[in-house]
């Protein structure tokens, strides 16, 4: 059992409570990022006195968010302190993903470790949203139950979808590759009857969650970058100063529907010659002469590695189309870096040369460096789960209450 933290009383001036909440968050972030740490080191890191930090730490321990690992190694200078780490049985973020060809869910603890995960291959294109979300809820229930068996407390559920989500809502306005329109995920996602309470739910575009995962988990990711999520659909997300630029309605980043050839083939979005028609997963597989089947991207990578000319040509074509579409974005926005993520990032060795050639040729100055995400197709699912974890670290009082 954990003791509740004290909520600010109505009528209490916010300043002191607000400062306490911010300091609790700073302690949580320090311990989650660099722990195990002693109280003294935490105090040093965040610039508070050791006494102040001890009070905050005690509160976080009582709430079950931080745990003491026991005395640190002897022989160190100064009084031995007990090392602090985020709790392995504290809150967990539950992430879920609706893909065009799969469903997935996972549970991530406060340290960022994936503690449970479930994936199912399903052809979701053209299926009604109700049955898809019902199937997704089975996976969510599975990982939630596994997390709870390990003593974790699910703190929220975040769902990544391959479509436009109206800003500040849980409604998928349009998902061309699923053929969903105005779908309220919160209304259709069944909650397990046995769940004691309904988890707080958020819904966002997969490219947004992919970019956040890169920001939070990527190696040396700058605070300003353009993230390209290349899968069956191609989405992008712009991160500026560590924050997503969502656009007025929340629809920013639809790179896949930027025209590469204005008179090109028709696209489910209603346009013609969109990037997705040249560099989306299905277009690339078609161009390489590969029909449907298991792990086609892996097979394409194998063929390209073996020097297959059809595979190489298809990937060069996709890289060129990506370069043309990204030229517009890079010229307009001047990002510090372009990061290629998503399932197709596995094909980067054969996509990147053509992509970079187009970018270099078409942009005024040496192009922003293009790097490849190491998260690959895991980005959106991890980003979703981590968004819940980040919310706990950002305001531990809210979750403890
Ligand atoms: Zn389109």
């Amino acid at each position: 059992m954990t003791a509740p933290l004290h909520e600010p009383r109505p009528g209490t001036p916010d300043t002191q409570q607000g400062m306490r909440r911010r300091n609790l968050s700073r302690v949580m972030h320090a311990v989650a990022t660099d722990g195990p740490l002693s109280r003294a080191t935490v105090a040093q890191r965040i610039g508070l006195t050791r006494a102040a930090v001890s009070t905050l730490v005690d509160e976080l321990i009582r709430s079950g968010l931080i745990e003491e690992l026991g005395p640190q190694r002897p022989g160190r200078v100064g009084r031995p302190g007990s090392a602090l780490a985020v709790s392995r049985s504290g809150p967990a973020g539950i992430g879920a993903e609706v893909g065009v060809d799969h469903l997935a869910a996972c549970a991530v603890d406060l340290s960022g470790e994936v503690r449970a995960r479930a994936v199912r291959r399903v052809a979701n294109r053209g299926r009604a949203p109700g049955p898809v979300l019902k199937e997704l809820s089975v996976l969510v229930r599975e990982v939630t139950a596994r997390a709870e068996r390990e003593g974790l407390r699910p703190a929220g559920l975040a769902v990544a979808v391959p479509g436009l989500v109206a800003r500040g809502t849980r409604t998928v306005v349009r998902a061309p590759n699923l053929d969903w329109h105005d779908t309220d995920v919160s209304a259709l996602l069944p909650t397990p009857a046995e769940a004691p309470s309904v988890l707080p739910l958020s819904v966002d575009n997969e490219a947004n969650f992919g970019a956040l995962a890169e920001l939070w988990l990527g190696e040396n990711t700058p605070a300003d970058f353009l993230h390209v999520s290349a899968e069956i659909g191609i989405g992008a997300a712009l991160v500026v100063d560590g924050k997503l630029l969502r656009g007025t309605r929340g629809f920013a980043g639809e790179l896949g529907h930027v025209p590469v050839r204005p008179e090109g083939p028709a696209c489910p979005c209603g346009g013609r010659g969109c990037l997705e028609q040249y560099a989306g997963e299905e277009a690339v597989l078609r161009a390489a002469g590969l029909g449907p089947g298991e792990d086609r991207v892996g097979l394409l990578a194998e063929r390209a590695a073996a020097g297959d000319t059809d595979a190489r040509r298809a990937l060069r074509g996709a890289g060129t189309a990506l370069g043309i579409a990204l030229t517009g974005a890079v010229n307009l926005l001047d990002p510090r870096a372009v990061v290629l993520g998503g399932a197709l990032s596995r094909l980067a060795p054969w996509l990147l040369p053509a992509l970079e050639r187009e970018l270099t040729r078409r942009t005024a100055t040496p192009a922003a460096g293009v790097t490849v995400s190491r998260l690959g197709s895991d980005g959106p699912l991890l980003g979703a789960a981590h968004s819940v974890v980040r919310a706990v670290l950002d305001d531990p009082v809210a979750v403890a209450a």
Side-chain angles (χ1 to χ4, degrees):
M1 289 304 285
T2 53
L5 288 164
H6 304 291
E7 272 297 280
R9 270 195 311 245
T12 318
D14 182 54
T15 49
Q16 210 174 340
Q17 293 292 354
M19 197 180 294
R20 189 182 118 262
R21 281 173 100 131
R22 278 193 297 280
N23 285 336
L24 286 166
S25 169
R26 290 166 72 204
V27 172
M28 283 303 294
H29 273 285
V31 176
T33 310
D34 298 321
L37 296 175
S38 68
R39 281 172 160 80
T41 315
V42 173
Q44 239 169 35
R45 294 271 163 106
I46 66 176
L48 290 176
T49 65
R50 164 122 196 223
V53 163
S54 260
T55 308
L56 296 166
V57 163
D58 289 343
E59 193 167 343
L60 292 167
I61 290 174
R62 278 199 305 277
S63 305
L65 297 171
I66 277 184
E67 58 192 26
E68 287 184 296
L69 301 178
Q72 287 187 318
R73 288 192 315 276
R76 292 178 65 137
V77 183
R79 260 176 61 193
S82 187
L84 304 167
V86 287
S87 173
R88 279 187 59 83
S89 53
I94 308 295
E97 184 184 12
V98 179
V100 180
D101 61 358
H102 70 282
L103 297 169
C106 76
V108 169
D109 69 17
L110 289 181
S111 75
E113 189 186 330
V114 177
R115 300 280 290 274
R117 185 187 170 103
V119 183
R120 188 175 290 180
R121 295 273 134 206
V122 207
N124 289 322
R125 193 192 295 272
R127 285 179 81 198
V132 173
L133 293 171
K134 197 170 170 191
E135 208 171 334
L136 183 70
S137 76
V138 173
L139 299 188
V140 167
R141 204 176 328 174
E142 195 181 312
V143 298
T144 303
R146 267 157 59 196
E148 282 171 344
R149 277 200 296 277
E150 294 203 24
L152 290 161
R153 292 176 280 141
L157 168 63
V159 182
V161 291
L164 300 174
V165 178
R167 192 169 180 159
T169 74
R170 294 174 291 200
T171 296
V172 182
V173 175
R174 198 178 65 163
N177 288 318
L178 293 173
D179 200 20
W180 288 11
H181 304 272
D182 299 314
T183 302
D184 180 354
V185 172
S186 60
L188 288 169
L189 194 69
T191 46
E194 65 268 27
S197 60
V198 177
L199 289 179
L201 171 70
S202 62
V203 180
D204 205 347
N205 178 274
E206 60 174 5
N208 285 346
F209 277 135
L212 289 173
E214 190 59 34
L215 176 72
W216 295 329
L217 309 172
E219 272 170 61
N220 306 320
T221 308
D224 299 281
F225 65 102
L226 181 67
H227 186 263
V228 181
S229 187
E231 318 236 341
I232 291 175
I234 299 178
L238 185 69
V239 175
V240 179
D241 203 13
K243 291 201 171 62
L244 276 178
L245 190 82
R246 292 178 176 275
T248 306
R249 295 167 300 162
F251 301 165
E254 284 297 286
L255 187 70
H257 301 287
V258 166
V260 172
R261 289 185 196 126
E263 303 310 320
C267 179
C269 76
R272 298 198 80 89
C274 297
L275 174 63
E276 249 171 61
Q277 300 305 314
Y278 301 97
E281 189 175 314
E282 287 164 343
V284 180
L285 293 174
R286 212 166 35 238
L290 285 174
E294 272 290 293
D295 193 20
R296 298 282 97 175
V297 175
L299 181 59
L300 181 56
E302 266 174 40
R303 289 200 179 171
D308 182 288
T309 46
D310 288 343
R312 293 272 180 103
R313 193 186 324 111
L315 290 168
R316 251 192 333 267
T320 302
L322 273 166
I324 292 169
L326 278 170
T327 296
V330 167
N331 276 333
L332 193 64
L333 304 165
D334 189 24
R336 175 93 176 275
V338 175
V339 183
L340 182 66
L344 296 193
S345 61
R346 276 167 84 184
L347 302 167
W350 306 282
L351 284 170
L352 280 195
L355 191 169
E356 285 175 327
R357 193 163 49 243
E358 286 303 320
L359 262 187
T360 307
R361 200 163 71 190
R362 292 170 186 271
T363 49
T365 52
V370 182
T371 58
V372 180
S373 168
R374 65 182 179 88
L375 302 172
S377 54
D378 285 343
L381 182 65
L382 290 176
H386 275 266
S387 72
V388 177
V389 170
R390 300 290 294 201
V392 174
L393 300 180
D394 287 345
D395 191 5
V397 173
V399 70

